[in-house]
């Protein structure tokens, strides 16, 4: 280990999103090769996808453009609105769920917020929804206020209505039936005539049988998004891998190295960013019901922090409040998120959860602790405490997964989400888990990048020369997929 690493520890590798304008995309016709080697002969083709997400804290529309020659994704726009600002239910509207903070949702109010967010994003990016946008993927992290995992489907429908109200045609929200249904510029990249979309996204299939955790799709998207985000680094984030998404709620997967499709052998669930949010509410500098750490966060907030005291504070928080373990079979919620442990364990999938008390019943206690830390140590050390709290969550989740024996040797860890990649969290997480993994990568906007990957998978738009799926160091799995699908087809005919 180098002197710098011995003094300061390993440096986290962070894949940050890179922006392009729609004008740049339309004006740059060729992909540059390595320095000094001129230009590629194939013209650049970009696949433009909108990721529409309703989360507990934020509602987003993120527009990505993926260069289908290089498999690198760029951001065109990132429009973020606060979910707490959604309008209240009107008379006659049915409340079908609520956020983890108790904000009530109706089909009509969700559709309006989604519509406005999409139109704002399209305007900022200067794109024409009909001419420029290729596909839309809808997802939600709002799972706490639903009775069961299947009830999330109502919210997905509300998201679809918002997309339609924004002028997005239905054909841009469903996979193409054949290559001929795709725009002419995309057809040479589609492999629909060779393989069909059979549910695997970036070569990973979800747990079989009943849905095991309400935010399963979120875990699927962030895993795929970290795979494409890692293309900006030298890390090969392919199977076997582990993903952690520190949004308001926790999502993520543990994936094995099976081919052509890896299995999801572990799922993370429960609370993540909601924990530091609760602590920060104790300062009374944010709204007591809808306030979040991002309301106060800025780069200078950690200057002058007492890191030793912050670590002590975080360890106390974990000892008194935070519950991290394998989800018991008799639980129907863990960390407020609806789960089905029986279905998970029948399918060979291990659920590992993070909670504050039982189903978040100690979030109020966290606010009191945050108030004490703020009064005694100040805002800078409180934010440093938040970083240590998140890092310890990551450490304990990973420790639990290893104790359960569900992480394969040679796995790569990917981390995303506001409560996992801001401040000093990447450095602290890396210090705790570095020795357990082959590599660790931190990726911003992984859910949106994952939406771009899912849109490509659903239309079999692949880049075999620079694969996203398959094993680390291995080739494209197209041949294996074709062979598997032929076998299934022959069996069906018999």
């Amino acid at each position: 280990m180098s002197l710098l690493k011995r003094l300061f520890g390993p440096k986290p590798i962070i894949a940050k999103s890179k922006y392009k304008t729609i004008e740049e995309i339309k004006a740059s016709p060729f992909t540059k090769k390595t320095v000094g080697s001129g230009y590629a002969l194939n013209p650049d083709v970009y696949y433009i996808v909108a990721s529409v997400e309703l989360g507990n804290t934020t509602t987003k529309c993120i527009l990505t453009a993926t260069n289908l020659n290089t498999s690198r994704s760029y951001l065109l726009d990132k429009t973020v609105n606060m979910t707490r600002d959604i309008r209240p239910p009107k008379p006659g509207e049915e409340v079908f769920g609520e956020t983890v903070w108790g904000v009530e949702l109706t089909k009509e109010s969700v559709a309006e917020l989604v519509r406005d967010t999409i139109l704002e994003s399209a305007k900022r990016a200067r794109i024409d929804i009909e001419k420029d946008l290729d596909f839309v993927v809808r997802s939600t992290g709002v799972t706490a206020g639903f009775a069961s995992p299947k009830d999330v489907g109502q919210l997905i429908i509300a998201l679809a209505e918002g997309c339609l109200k924004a002028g997005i045609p239905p054909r841009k929200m469903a996979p193409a039936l054949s290559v001929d249904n795709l725009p002419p510029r995309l057809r040479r990249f589609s492999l629909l005539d060779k393989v069909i979309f059979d549910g695997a996204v970036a070569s990973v299939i979800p747990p079989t049988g009943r849905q095991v955790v309400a935010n399963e799709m979120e875990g699927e998207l962030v895993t795929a998004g970290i795979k494409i985000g890692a293309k900006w680094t030298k890390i090969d984030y392919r199977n076997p891998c582990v993903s952690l998404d520190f949004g308001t709620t926790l999502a993520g997967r543990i994936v094995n190295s099976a081919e052509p499709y890896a299995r999801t052998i572990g799922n993370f669930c429960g609370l993540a960013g909601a924990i530091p949010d609760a602590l920060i509410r104790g300062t009374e500098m944010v709204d007591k019901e809808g306030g979040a750490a991002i309301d106060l966060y800025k780069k200078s907030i950690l200057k002058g922090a007492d890191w030793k005291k912050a670590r002590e504070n975080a360890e106390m928080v974990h000892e008194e409040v935070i519950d991290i373990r394998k989800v018991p079979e008799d639980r129907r919620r863990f960390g407020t998120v609806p789960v089905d442990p029986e279905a998970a364990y029948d399918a060979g999938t291990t659920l590992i959860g993070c909670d504050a008390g039982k189903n978040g019943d100690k979030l109020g206690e966290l606010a009191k602790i945050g108030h004490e830390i703020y009064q005694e140590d100040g805002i800078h050390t409180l934010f440093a405490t938040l970083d240590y709290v998140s890092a310890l969550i990551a450490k304990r989740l990973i420790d639990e997964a290893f104790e359960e024996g569900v992480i394969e040797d040679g796995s790569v860890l990917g981390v995303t989400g506001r409560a996992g990649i801001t401040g000093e969290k990447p450095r602290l997480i890396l210090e705790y888990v570095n020795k357990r993994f082959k590599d660790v990568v931190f990726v911003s906007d992984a859910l949106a990048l994952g939406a771009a990957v899912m849109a490509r998978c659903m239309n079999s738009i692949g880049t075999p020369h620079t694969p996203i799926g398959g094993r680390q160091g291995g080739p494209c799995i197209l041949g294996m997929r074709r062979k598997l699908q032929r076998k299934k087809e022959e069996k069906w005919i018999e």
Side-chain angles (χ1 to χ4, degrees):
M1 185 180 289
S2 69
L3 176 62
L4 285 176
K5 282 190 176 182
R6 286 200 303 271
L7 290 175
F8 303 107
K11 184 178 180 181
I13 296 172
I14 302 175
K16 293 184 178 179
S17 301
K18 299 186 179 182
Y19 281 82
K20 280 202 172 192
T21 65
I22 191 68
E23 290 81 10
E24 288 174 321
I25 284 173
K26 291 179 177 179
S28 95
F30 297 103
T31 298
K32 288 184 179 180
K33 289 184 178 179
T34 55
V35 176
S37 61
Y39 292 87
L41 296 177
N42 291 329
D44 278 344
V45 175
Y46 287 88
Y47 190 53
I48 299 178
V49 175
S51 170
V52 179
E53 179 208 354
L54 183 85
N56 285 285
T57 302
T58 57
T59 294
K60 304 174 185 175
C61 179
I62 301 180
L63 297 168
T64 60
T66 302
N67 186 326
L68 296 180
N69 283 328
T70 65
S71 247
R72 287 183 170 177
S73 289
Y74 302 84
L75 293 191
L76 294 175
D77 178 69
K78 180 177 178 179
T79 294
V80 182
N81 291 317
M82 303 304 288
T83 305
R84 67 189 179 216
D85 294 333
I86 194 169
R87 69 160 175 79
K90 292 180 179 178
E93 293 181 353
E94 180 184 355
V95 176
F96 63 84
E98 59 184 29
T99 71
V100 71
W101 305 120
V103 176
E104 292 183 325
L105 305 173
T106 70
K107 185 173 68 174
E108 294 82 3
S109 64
V110 167
E112 288 175 21
L113 178 61
V114 168
R115 175 200 63 196
D116 295 344
T117 305
I118 293 171
L119 292 176
E120 181 183 351
S121 183
K123 182 178 180 180
R124 284 161 46 121
R126 297 188 296 277
I127 71 161
D128 185 302
I129 288 177
E130 178 60 39
K131 296 178 181 178
D132 299 324
L133 185 64
D134 294 308
F135 207 80
V136 178
V137 175
R138 312 174 308 278
S139 63
T140 179
V142 180
T143 55
F146 293 85
S148 66
K150 66 179 182 180
D151 290 339
V152 180
Q154 288 193 52
L155 183 51
I156 297 296
I157 293 171
L159 293 176
E161 289 209 6
C163 293
L164 293 172
K165 288 178 180 290
I168 296 170
R171 70 178 186 277
K172 296 190 178 186
M173 292 187 278
L177 297 177
S178 71
V179 174
D180 294 335
N181 295 125
L182 294 170
R185 64 185 174 79
L186 298 176
R187 291 173 187 171
R188 69 183 175 93
F189 293 97
S190 177
L191 304 168
L192 274 172
D193 56 343
K194 296 182 175 64
V195 291
I196 60 170
F197 176 63
D198 50 12
V201 177
S203 77
V204 181
I205 54 176
T208 56
R210 302 195 305 269
Q211 190 175 14
V212 300
V213 62
N215 58 348
E216 172 60 41
M217 183 179 180
E218 204 173 14
E220 180 174 52
L221 291 179
V222 297
T223 305
I226 294 171
K227 288 186 175 187
I228 196 72
K231 290 288 184 182
W232 288 108
T233 74
K234 294 181 179 180
I235 291 178
D236 186 356
Y237 183 81
R238 289 188 290 166
N239 309 328
C241 60
V242 179
S243 62
L244 284 173
D245 177 21
F246 285 84
T248 303
T249 53
L250 177 68
R253 283 179 164 184
I254 301 170
V255 174
N256 69 9
S257 58
E259 289 184 305
Y261 300 139
R263 285 187 58 241
T264 301
I265 56 177
N267 262 320
F268 296 105
C269 61
L271 298 174
I275 291 171
D277 287 348
L279 285 164
I280 213 68
R281 288 178 186 182
T283 65
E284 300 179 359
M285 297 171 69
V286 298
D287 185 80
K288 290 183 179 181
E289 295 183 359
I294 57 173
D295 291 330
L296 300 180
Y297 177 77
K298 51 186 178 181
K299 289 185 178 180
S300 61
I301 200 75
L302 293 171
K303 288 183 179 179
D306 183 338
W307 287 95
K308 181 180 178 182
K309 188 63 167 47
R311 181 169 182 167
E312 293 173 357
N313 292 338
E315 290 172 348
M316 176 268 293
V317 168
H318 273 261
E319 184 177 345
E320 295 187 4
V321 179
I322 311 302
D323 179 19
I324 293 176
R325 55 178 159 144
K326 179 181 176 181
V327 177
E329 285 194 41
D330 62 349
R331 294 287 290 272
R332 291 297 168 260
R333 288 179 183 270
F334 199 92
T336 75
V337 176
V339 293
D340 191 340
E342 186 179 349
Y345 301 141
D346 286 346
T349 303
T350 298
L351 290 183
I352 298 174
C354 176
D355 206 343
K358 184 174 182 180
N359 285 322
D361 65 3
K362 288 191 176 181
L363 287 172
E365 186 174 325
L366 284 174
K368 293 178 182 177
I369 294 173
H371 179 76
E372 292 172 5
I373 295 173
Y374 174 60
Q375 292 293 320
E376 294 177 10
D377 304 323
I379 191 66
H380 306 293
T381 298
L382 175 57
F383 264 87
T385 299
L386 304 188
D387 285 2
Y388 262 118
V389 166
S390 289
L392 284 169
I393 290 174
K395 176 185 183 299
R396 292 178 61 191
L397 290 169
I398 296 304
D399 287 347
E400 186 72 18
F402 271 100
E403 286 180 19
E404 292 295 327
V406 289
I407 297 181
E408 283 193 13
D409 290 340
S411 291
V412 181
L413 173 65
V415 180
T416 189
R418 62 184 176 88
I421 63 172
T422 55
E424 291 295 315
K425 297 176 188 72
R427 178 180 63 83
L428 298 176
I429 291 173
L430 191 60
E431 287 179 4
Y432 281 129
V433 306
N434 187 44
K435 293 181 180 179
R436 288 192 175 274
F437 293 97
K438 181 179 178 181
D439 282 304
V440 181
V441 63
F442 298 85
V443 177
S444 59
D445 305 310
L447 193 141
L449 296 175
V453 175
M454 175 172 273
R456 289 171 58 188
C457 290
M458 292 173 75
N459 292 291
S460 295
I461 296 177
T463 48
H465 57 287
T466 174
I468 304 171
R471 289 183 184 174
Q472 298 167 28
C476 175
I477 58 170
L478 177 61
M480 285 183 279
R481 287 185 64 193
R482 294 181 68 183
K483 186 176 179 180
L484 177 66
Q485 291 187 1
R486 278 198 301 266
K487 282 184 178 180
K488 288 183 176 180
E489 185 178 347
E490 291 169 0
K491 186 176 180 180
W492 181 77
I493 292 174
E494 291 175 1

